Amino acid sequence: MSVLAEWLGMLAAVCTTGAFVPQVLHVWRRKSAQDISFGMYFILVVGIVLWLIYGILIVAWPVILANGATLILALAILVMKVRYDRVPKR
Amino acid sequence: MSVLAEWLGMLAAVCTTGAFVPQVLHVWRRKSAQDISFGMYFILVVGIVLWLIYGILIVAWPVILANGATLILALAILVMKVRYDRVPKR
């Protein structure tokens, strides 16, 4: 049961982090992020930074690595949101 | 240190779950989700379901509650994405 749980947890982490990759590509290709919520990605980035500090404090590498990767992807979406909203393509 | 880490972890969970609330409201108000990636929310929902099963297996209530709430929000965005893309307002 414990090994199954561990594998499920790792697969879950890969999914919830990897999920942001298609969103980065979607916004990048369309050069549009008007339907993306600035508030969501702002709060998300704050939350991920808190997860990172938490992971460092309790020395949990899976937490550090998963959130490190998600932080880069969430920041990319946030930066594109600000940039593309300023000069809208539509 | 342990109490600080615990509080940081809880605050982090509140942020990364709560972050989806402004995105739900954003899409709901605009009735548009073209910049939202279907792939992101599909993979995210799969990942959150895996986190839920993981939380149930290791009997971790914070994991169960945080992911239960995020699942509802992510599903709401996914359903609106499918619905609003079918009948675009623009």
Side-chain angles (χ1 to χ4, degrees):
Chain A
M1 186 69 105
S2 166
V3 175
L4 171 67
E6 209 166 277
W7 276 98
L8 271 176
M10 280 192 282
L11 191 58
V14 168
C15 284
T16 48
T17 292
F20 289 89
V21 173
Q23 183 66 78
V24 169
L25 296 175
H26 192 85
V27 174
W28 174 257
R29 283 181 193 136
R30 295 170 55 85
K31 312 284 178 223
S32 168
Q34 290 183 60
D35 298 330
I36 300 283
S37 159
F38 178 86
M40 166 176 167
Y41 283 90
F42 185 82
I43 300 168
L44 194 66
V45 163
V46 171
I48 295 167
V49 168
L50 292 176
W51 275 126
L52 267 178
I53 300 169
Y54 170 82
I56 291 164
L57 284 180
I58 67 162
V59 198
W61 280 102
V63 176
I64 296 167
L65 294 176
N67 284 286
T70 315
L71 180 61
I72 294 167
L73 296 165
L75 274 175
I77 294 167
L78 195 61
V79 168
M80 287 191 288
K81 164 73 181 167
V82 172
R83 189 174 155 187
Y84 295 145
D85 273 12
R86 202 169 296 167
V87 188
K89 279 247 165 176
R90 290 172 194 145
Chain B
M1 186 68 106
S2 166
V3 175
L4 170 67
E6 209 164 278
W7 275 98
L8 271 175
M10 280 192 283
L11 191 59
V14 168
C15 284
T16 48
T17 292
F20 289 89
V21 174
Q23 182 67 76
V24 169
L25 296 176
H26 192 85
V27 174
W28 174 256
R29 281 180 195 137
R30 295 170 54 85
K31 311 283 178 223
S32 169
Q34 291 184 60
D35 298 330
I36 300 284
S37 160
F38 177 86
M40 167 175 166
Y41 283 90
F42 185 81
I43 300 168
L44 194 66
V45 163
V46 171
I48 295 167
V49 168
L50 292 176
W51 275 127
L52 267 178
I53 300 170
Y54 170 82
I56 292 164
L57 283 180
I58 67 163
V59 197
W61 280 102
V63 176
I64 296 168
L65 294 176
N67 283 286
T70 316
L71 181 62
I72 294 166
L73 297 166
L75 274 176
I77 295 167
L78 195 60
V79 168
M80 287 191 288
K81 163 74 181 167
V82 172
R83 190 174 154 186
Y84 295 145
D85 274 12
R86 202 169 296 168
V87 188
K89 280 247 165 176
R90 293 171 190 146

